[in-house]
């Protein structure tokens, strides 16, 4: 079975070391290649823009004092065409102003160097916290997550940063709730991925962490208001409204999304039905959080399930958000053998691999300048995550308390 094959990685120290070296070497090679690509060295002088290019454009507008213009899609399209030196695919901008402020220092560097610094720093942070959480399961987690990690590197996206922030919430929640709250508050850069964790903190009465997160959000919002003016919030809300119509019209690359909405929409269902399908899945995800806290599972397992469900709430979730799901997987792995059969674990690992590998395939097609949108390209990642949600609900509902896990080392404890 797939589970036995993958889990065999962790039983031999020499095998673990070999897999770790191979995965890390492959990730380093992809970063080096993409650094040349973003820097437009060699044969990539004329290329389409990618996600980090959009980050760099926004960072430049912060220094020019007109960052509110990136929330007006017509103005943003002109900026992106200027950066590309011609026509390019449009990337709407709906991040809160706090993320633009975070990106501002990268405008002081050429785009290739900025990409290298951003990606290596966030990846290093992500791998550090993933190793702390997963312990002896680190190699196993890396193998399962490998396609998702490559996707995130390839686009220069922030999946490593958001995954690391949620991991810091989990690592500090028990003993350092103030630090956990700071990390949760920093998720204001991508708030829809923090909803489920916020519900978990409410259900478990983590008032210090919640209060600290609220202070971070309010303080950072005040800072953005002072720097950018009140108009920044009206511009941001306008962009969100406009992006909703983009999503309904299918103007986003839905085949790269991992949401229920994208899966149902690409399957040919009307936008209204896809929307209610997303609402249903979000409701089931929140139900799973409550079940996990009420059924007597370990706090680590319940928190891991919560993190895995965090990428299933919003209709706007992409394959580069999957590193966060990996943090949840690392949390539940110690209890998983006592809760799930080898067949169930095989399905779980396979669904995560499928979501990442499918996104990697579509990224490769785009890199080869084959536009998947011209053909029928289903959003397989969304279906994979729906199946994963049902599997997690089954485990929570039917198993209850997991079998006692082996004693953990200090590195494995939260």
């Amino acid at each position: 079975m797939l589970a036995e094959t993958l889990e065999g990685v962790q039983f031999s120290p020499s095998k673990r070391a070999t897999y770790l070296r191979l995965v890390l070497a492959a990730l380093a090679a992809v970063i080096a290649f993409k650094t040349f690509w973003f820097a437009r060295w060699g044969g990539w002088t004329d290329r389409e823009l990618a996600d980090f290019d959009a980050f760099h454009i926004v960072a430049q507008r912060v220094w020019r004092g007109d960052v509110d213009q990136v929330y007006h899609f017509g103005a943003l399209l002109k900026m992106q065409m200027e950066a590309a030196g011609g026509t390019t695919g449009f990337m709407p901008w709906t991040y809160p102003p706090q993320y633009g402020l975070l990106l501002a220092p990268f405008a002081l560097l050429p785009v290739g160097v900025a990409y290298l610094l951003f990606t290596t720093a966030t990846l290093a942070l992500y791998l550090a916290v993933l190793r702390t959480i997963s312990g002896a399961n680190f190699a196993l987690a890396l193998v399962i997550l490998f396609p998702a990690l490559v996707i995130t590197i390839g686009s220069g996206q922030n999946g490593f940063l958001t995954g690391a922030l949620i991991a810091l919430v989990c690592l500090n929640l028990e003993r350092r709730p103030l630090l956990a709250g700071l990390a949760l508050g920093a998720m204001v850069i991508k708030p829809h991925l923090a909803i489920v964790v916020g519900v978990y903190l409410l259900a478990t009465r983590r008032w210090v962490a919640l209060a600290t997160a609220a202070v971070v959000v309010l303080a950072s919002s005040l800072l953005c208001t002072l720097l950018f003016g009140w108009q920044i919030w009206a511009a941001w809300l306008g962009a969100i409204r406009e992006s909703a119509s983009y999503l309904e019209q299918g103007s986003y690359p839905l085949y790269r999304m991992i949401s229920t909405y994208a899966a149902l929409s690409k399957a040919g269902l009307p936008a209204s039905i896809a929307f209610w399908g997303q609402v249903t899945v979000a409701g089931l995800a929140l139900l799973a959080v409550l079940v996990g806290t009420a059924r007597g599972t370990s706090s680590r397992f319940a928190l891991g399930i919560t993190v895995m469900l965090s990428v299933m709430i919003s209709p706007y979730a992409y394959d580069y958000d999957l590193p966060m799901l990996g943090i949840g997987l690392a949390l539940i792995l110690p209890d998983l053998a006592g809760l799930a059969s080898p067949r169930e674990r095989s399905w779980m690992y396979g669904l995560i691999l499928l979501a990442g590998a499918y996104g990697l395939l579509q990224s490769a097609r785009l890199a080869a300048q084959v536009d998947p949108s011209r053909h029928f390209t289903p959003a397989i990642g969304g279906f994979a995550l729906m199946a994963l949600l049902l599997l997690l609900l089954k485990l929570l509902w039917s198993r209850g308390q997991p079998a006692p896990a082996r004693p953990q080392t200090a590195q494995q404890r939260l």
Side-chain angles (χ1 to χ4, degrees), residues 6 8 12 20 52 79 98 121 124 135 182 213 219 260 326 328 336 344 357 377:
L6 291 175
S12 167
L20 284 174
F52 189 80
M79 298 176 199
Q98 287 92 331
L182 291 173
T260 298
L336 198 58
E344 289 168 331
T377 313

Side-chain angles (χ1 to χ4, degrees), residues 158-249:
N158 52 30
F160 299 138
L161 177 59
T162 53
L165 288 174
I166 289 296
L168 290 172
V169 175
C170 300
L171 285 168
N172 293 291
L173 192 57
E174 294 289 341
R175 299 173 185 172
R176 295 173 291 272
L178 190 66
L179 292 179
L182 291 173
L184 182 62
M187 279 297 295
V188 69
I189 64 172
K190 216 163 186 177
H192 59 281
L193 295 181
I195 293 173
V196 183
V197 174
V199 171
Y200 175 85
L201 297 187
L202 280 171
T204 54
R205 299 179 178 85
R206 310 285 184 162
W207 308 123
V208 173
L210 283 169
T212 304
V215 170
V216 171
V217 172
L218 291 174
S220 62
S221 299
L222 177 60
L223 178 61
C224 289
T225 304
L226 293 173
L227 292 175
F228 306 137
W230 287 103
Q231 71 272 11
I232 195 69
W233 302 107
W236 176 50
L237 293 174
I240 291 176
R241 288 192 294 268
E242 193 167 355
S243 70
S245 65
Y246 261 63
L247 188 64
E248 185 176 355
Q249 296 164 11

Side-chain angles (χ1 to χ4, degrees), residues 33-51:
F33 171 78
K34 293 302 294 189
T35 298
F36 279 87
W37 189 87
F38 274 101
R40 299 178 184 271
W41 294 338
W44 295 293
T45 303
D46 298 319
R47 61 168 178 81
E48 286 278 326
L49 297 187
D51 295 69

Side-chain angles (χ1 to χ4, degrees), residues 49-400:
L49 297 187
D51 295 69
F52 189 80
D53 291 303
F55 293 176
H56 200 253
I57 290 170
V58 172
Q60 292 173 328
R61 307 316 293 200
V62 171
W63 292 103
R64 295 182 184 182
D66 60 353
V67 70
D68 59 299
Q69 291 301 304
V70 303
Y71 294 112
H72 301 287
F73 289 178
L76 179 59
L77 176 59
K78 293 179 181 178
M79 298 176 199
Q80 293 178 357
M81 291 178 65
E82 289 175 3
T87 58
T88 185
F90 177 56
M91 292 176 286
W93 186 262
T94 56
Y95 284 97
Q98 287 92 331
Y99 191 52
L101 190 60
L102 176 68
L103 292 171
F106 293 98
L108 305 177
L109 300 169
V111 63
V113 178
Y115 161 81
L116 177 63
L117 180 60
F118 178 84
T119 302
T120 53
T122 56
L123 176 60
L125 177 62
Y126 177 82
L127 293 178
V129 293
L130 180 67
R131 185 182 184 91
T132 301
I133 291 174
S134 57
N137 295 312
F138 184 50
L140 172 61
L142 277 186
V143 170
I144 296 172
L145 293 172
F146 180 74
L149 302 183
V150 174
I151 291 168
T152 309
I153 291 172
S155 62
Q157 257 291 345
N158 52 30
F160 299 138
L161 177 59
T162 53
L165 288 174
I166 289 296
L168 290 172
V169 175
C170 300
L171 285 168
N172 293 291
L173 192 57
E174 294 289 341
R175 299 173 185 172
R176 295 173 291 272
L178 190 66
L179 292 179
L182 291 173
L184 182 62
M187 279 297 295
V188 69
I189 64 172
K190 216 163 186 177
H192 59 281
L193 295 181
I195 293 173
V196 183
V197 174
V199 171
Y200 175 85
L201 297 187
L202 280 171
T204 54
R205 299 179 178 85
R206 310 285 184 162
W207 308 123
V208 173
L210 283 169
T212 304
V215 170
V216 171
V217 172
L218 291 174
S220 62
S221 299
L222 177 60
L223 178 61
C224 289
T225 304
L226 293 173
L227 292 175
F228 306 137
W230 287 103
Q231 71 272 11
I232 195 69
W233 302 107
W236 176 50
L237 293 174
I240 291 176
R241 288 192 294 268
E242 193 167 355
S243 70
S245 65
Y246 261 63
L247 188 64
E248 185 176 355
Q249 296 164 11
S251 299
Y252 283 108
L254 298 179
Y255 53 88
R256 289 285 308 278
M257 289 187 172
I258 55 173
S259 67
T260 298
Y261 179 90
L264 298 180
S265 182
K266 287 295 289 181
L269 296 178
S272 59
I273 295 179
F275 170 78
W276 285 109
Q278 182 68 56
V279 171
T280 301
V281 166
L284 289 173
L286 294 176
L287 174 64
V289 174
L290 299 178
V291 170
T293 58
R295 295 281 291 177
T297 57
S298 69
S299 59
R300 178 185 177 115
F301 189 83
L303 188 55
I305 294 293
T306 297
V307 174
M308 294 181 76
L309 297 173
S310 294
V311 297
M312 304 181 192
I313 290 288
S314 172
Y316 191 88
Y318 276 92
D319 44 25
Y320 52 69
D321 293 318
L322 288 171
M324 181 177 292
L325 190 148
I327 297 297
L329 176 66
L331 283 164
I332 70 172
L333 279 174
D335 288 331
L336 198 58
L339 272 170
S341 67
R343 183 181 298 276
E344 289 168 331
R345 299 200 304 277
S346 294
W347 274 104
M348 183 176 297
Y349 302 157
L351 289 169
I352 297 172
L353 278 167
L354 174 61
Y358 185 75
L360 186 57
L361 171 64
Q362 301 310 325
S363 297
R365 292 177 67 179
L366 287 172
Q369 296 184 338
V370 177
D371 187 0
S373 63
R374 296 183 178 180
H375 311 281
F376 174 65
T377 313
I380 297 296
F383 287 111
L385 263 60
M386 282 190 277
L388 181 60
L389 170 60
L390 294 177
L391 178 57
L392 294 175
L393 278 170
K394 178 178 181 291
L395 292 178
L396 286 171
W397 194 261
S398 62
R399 300 297 199 276

